[in-house]
Amino acid sequence: MRILLFILVFFIIGCRDKKTPSLFGELTELTDVKIHLVDYGLENIPAEIGDLKNAKRICISKDSTTGWTLYPPLGRMYEERSKPPYKQLPDQITTLTGLKSLTLVGLDLNTLPDSFGRLKELDTLILYMNKLTIANELDKLKGLKKLKYLGLMGNIVTANDLEELERSIPGIVTNPGLR
């Protein structure tokens, strides 16, 4: 009986010590990370994004489509941005405080995490083709004082939003390459 108890305890302890492999295991050592959600069978960015502690640059999109992508006519863009699905960026991304560049394209994001300002080292933030209302995100963005480039195309953004960002972060270039 004691032997069986010993084996059982040994087995339980042995199982508890093993770490569950990270969803992004092969990416955790990289500094430059590209993630296409479809390659992982995902529709949302998972909390495991916080495992990428070495990353300096992260680019996340739904799929790996290259070349031309068909978007609705400009007159329908607002309608498309205001319709579900809406997705959230997990708070765990804000633990990656060494990030210099973050690109989030076409992910249906409608808000940024409240703690987004923790990403103080960001100099490039590209948020193309999401469902963000930039007026609602201004306080989070204005705290990123090292930002040099901010891409907002395809979100709900006004000239007043851009002016406020430019006042708060001197020298910032909004929508780089689109002027």
Side-chain angles (χ1 to χ4, degrees), residues 39-54:
D39 292 346
Y40 294 89
L42 300 171
E43 292 187 22
N44 299 308
I45 300 171
E48 287 85 357
I49 196 72
D51 294 343
L52 304 177
K53 301 289 185 207
N54 292 322

Side-chain angles (χ1 to χ4, degrees), residues 18-168:
K18 293 180 182 175
K19 282 187 172 181
T20 305
S22 171
L23 175 65
F24 300 122
E26 73 279 4
L27 304 176
T28 58
E29 299 301 317
L30 300 178
T31 58
D32 202 356
V33 176
K34 290 184 182 175
I35 297 172
H36 306 292
L37 295 180
V38 70
D39 292 346
Y40 294 89
L42 300 171
E43 292 187 22
N44 299 308
I45 300 171
E48 287 85 357
I49 196 72
D51 294 343
L52 304 177
K53 301 289 185 207
N54 292 322
K56 298 294 179 203
R57 288 169 298 285
I58 295 179
C59 177
I60 305 173
S61 65
K62 282 184 185 176
D63 59 41
S64 58
T65 302
T66 58
W68 292 97
T69 301
L70 184 62
Y71 291 107
L74 289 177
R76 293 214 31 204
M77 288 283 289
Y78 180 79
E79 182 182 325
E80 292 297 317
R81 289 183 298 214
S82 61
K83 288 195 310 191
Y86 302 120
K87 306 287 175 80
Q88 306 295 314
L89 192 58
D91 287 331
Q92 288 81 354
I93 200 157
T94 67
T95 65
L96 305 177
T97 55
L99 274 181
K100 302 260 185 214
S101 175
L102 180 59
T103 300
L104 305 168
V105 176
L107 298 172
D108 296 324
L109 301 174
N110 72 336
T111 187
L112 299 173
D114 289 337
S115 55
F116 200 72
R118 293 179 62 196
L119 300 175
K120 296 201 179 296
E121 296 301 313
L122 279 181
D123 65 15
T124 303
L125 178 59
I126 305 298
L127 299 168
Y128 293 157
M129 304 310 292
N130 282 290
K131 297 179 178 182
L132 297 164
T133 301
I134 299 306
N136 298 340
E137 307 301 324
L138 283 174
D139 288 338
K140 299 168 193 172
L141 296 171
K142 290 190 304 188
L144 304 173
K145 298 296 185 186
K146 290 189 178 182
L147 269 184
K148 295 177 185 169
Y149 306 102
L150 178 61
L152 299 173
M153 183 185 76
N155 292 283
I156 302 167
V157 60
T158 67
N160 289 339
D161 297 335
L162 296 177
E163 287 172 10
E164 189 168 341
L165 284 165
E166 289 168 359
R167 274 193 307 273
S168 298

